[in-house]
Amino acid sequence: MPLAGTLVEGRYRLVRPLGHGASSVVYFAVGSDGLPYAVKLFPPHLAARAEREYFNASGLSHPRIGQVFQQVEVQGRPALILSFARGRVLFERYARRPALTFERKPFLLTIVHLLDALAFIHAHGIVHRDVKPENLIVDGDGSAKLVDFDLSGPADETFGTPLRIGTMAFQSPEAARGEPLSAESDLYGAGVLLYWGLHGELPDPEAGPRASDDPLEPLCAQLIHPDRRQRLASAVEARRMLLKLASLPY
C-alpha cells in the first residue's frame, strides 16, 4: 500500500521511499517543524525488532550517528522516527576505486567519522554489529553518519543459541562463529572498509591480506586481524593511529 502523503503522529508527513532493507523500508518525511526526517517501517511480525532498536539506540545522540527519536505505528505497522542523514551509501559515494587513490582526503574523513561514531556508542556499552557500506551515509565532502541500529545491542550480549549476526562480507570471524560481540568486532568492519579504500576490493580471507606502500596498511592489518585478541579494540586508538599515519589534522 503506498504510504506517500501519510501523516504520522500528526507531525511527520511521509514523502517518498528512501530505501529498502531486508526487514524494513525507510521513508523520507518532513516534520511540522519544517525539518527532514526518516521514518523506518517494519512488518507487523517484527514489532519486537523495532522495539529492540528503539531501546538500544534511542538514548544515543551524536553528530556522527543516525539518531532514533520516537517509536510509533503507521497504519498498523511498527515504525521509528529517525534523524535524516544527507548523502549516499558509501559504495555509491565513492564510485572511483580505490577511493584512497582518487579521493583520499574525503575517504579518510569518512573513516574518521565512522570511528567517532563507534567510539561514542562503545563508550555507552553498545556495539553496532553491522558496520557495512549500506549503513554509512556519506555526503559530498566525505562527512559520514553511521545508521541502522536494528542489529545493535549490549557488548558481549549472549543468546540462548549462537547467532551469526551481521552481513557476511563485513562480518568478523567471531561473528561468523556466533560468539558474543564487542568493540573489536565493530572495528573489524571498519578495517574491511579501510581495506576496500586501499585496494578497491574486499579482503579475501583465503588469500590473505594484500600489501601496498600506503602508510595506512599497518592500521588496516591490525583492524582485520582474524584473532580478536590481537585486533585493535579501541575506536579512539584507531582514530589516533589513522590521523598520525595519514598526517591529517582532523
Side-chain angles (χ1 to χ4, degrees):
M1 178 185 300
L3 294 173
T6 300
L7 186 63
V8 179
E9 295 289 298
R11 181 179 175 189
Y12 307 98
R13 181 77 65 180
L14 303 186
V15 178
R16 57 180 171 82
L18 285 172
H20 296 261
S23 61
S24 62
V25 58
V26 179
Y27 269 77
F28 174 73
V30 177
S32 57
D33 55 6
L35 296 176
Y37 293 87
V39 179
K40 184 176 183 180
L41 295 99
F42 297 79
H45 70 279
L46 292 180
R49 189 162 183 171
E51 186 172 353
R52 176 181 170 84
E53 180 171 354
Y54 180 76
F55 178 81
N56 286 320
S58 61
L60 302 174
S61 178
H62 188 273
R64 303 273 63 92
I65 66 172
Q67 190 170 353
V68 179
F69 293 123
Q70 189 177 354
Q71 187 176 8
V72 299
E73 190 174 279
V74 179
Q75 296 186 5
R77 299 171 63 179
L80 299 172
I81 307 297
L82 315 171
S83 61
F84 175 69
R86 299 184 184 277
R88 292 176 287 169
V89 298
L90 184 142
F91 276 3
E92 292 179 0
R93 166 62 185 82
Y94 295 105
R96 294 190 298 167
R97 305 167 185 176
L100 281 168
T101 297
F102 292 102
E103 294 190 77
R104 189 172 185 86
K105 193 168 182 179
F107 188 79
L108 287 173
L109 181 60
T110 296
I111 300 299
V112 167
H113 282 178
L114 169 59
L115 294 172
D116 286 340
L118 293 178
F120 175 78
I121 67 171
H122 294 164
H124 285 75
I126 297 294
V127 286
H128 187 275
R129 302 199 290 213
D130 200 21
V131 176
K132 62 180 181 180
E134 292 85 352
N135 289 340
L136 266 182
I137 306 299
V138 186
D139 214 340
D141 65 350
S143 300
K145 284 192 177 185
L146 180 65
V147 301
D148 200 350
F149 284 78
D150 66 353
L151 295 183
S152 67
D156 299 313
E157 183 179 18
T158 58
F159 301 92
T161 58
L163 289 180
R164 296 177 177 87
I165 301 174
T167 301
M168 186 176 296
F170 307 91
Q171 204 176 43
S172 65
E174 60 271 16
R177 294 190 296 265
E179 298 173 5
L181 305 180
S182 194
E184 69 274 9
S185 306
D186 279 348
L187 287 171
Y188 183 92
V192 172
L193 294 179
L194 180 58
Y195 185 100
W196 179 85
L198 285 163
H199 302 290
E201 63 184 21
L202 298 178
D204 180 355
E206 301 298 325
R210 288 178 55 180
S212 76
D213 295 330
D214 195 291
L216 293 172
E217 283 288 358
L219 172 60
C220 185
Q222 289 190 57
L223 289 171
I224 62 173
H225 198 290
D227 185 345
R228 67 190 303 177
R229 296 167 298 182
Q230 299 187 50
R231 194 182 311 143
L232 271 178
S234 166
V236 173
E237 177 62 12
R239 184 187 194 277
R240 185 195 68 78
M241 291 177 63
L242 186 146
L243 296 182
K244 180 179 179 181
L245 293 169
S247 301
L248 289 175
Y250 297 134

